[in-house]
Amino acid sequence: YKIDNKDLSGQIAKGGQLKVGEHIYPITAVGAVVDQNLKALGHITISLDGSSEESLPGTLHVQGDNNLTISEGTRIQILT
């Protein structure tokens, strides 16, 4: 696996997109420390529940498919 978060720019916000492989999911809510956690810790929690309200400070909510499959080599991007 590879985490390349050295060149983070912009701010993650509602209305952006989460791209997993070739699938794109709209961002519906962003926890208060999502940006901070991704930059400082290199990880966040992603919830596919489509919630319009944040639940936990480090959680990114997207309107997604609960049958999402991630395999070795799958590229995950956050598009702002």
Side-chain angles (χ1 to χ4, degrees):
Y1 69 94
K2 177 182 178 185
I3 297 175
D4 184 4
N5 64 343
K6 293 180 280 186
D7 298 318
L8 298 178
S9 63
Q11 186 172 7
I12 301 169
K14 183 176 178 177
Q17 298 174 321
L18 174 72
K19 184 175 182 185
V20 181
E22 296 303 315
H23 303 283
I24 295 178
Y25 304 100
I27 295 173
T28 58
V30 181
V33 297
V34 167
D35 282 313
Q36 178 183 342
N37 283 1
L38 190 56
K39 289 174 184 171
L41 304 174
H43 71 269
I44 57 172
T45 299
I46 299 171
S47 178
L48 303 171
D49 63 0
S51 176
S52 61
E53 301 291 326
E54 66 176 86
S55 58
L56 295 171
T59 300
L60 177 69
H61 297 269
V62 301
Q63 184 64 50
D65 179 359
N66 287 328
N67 295 319
L68 174 66
T69 301
I70 298 173
S71 56
E72 185 176 343
T74 299
R75 186 174 184 151
I76 301 171
Q77 298 173 283
I78 299 173
L79 310 172
T80 57

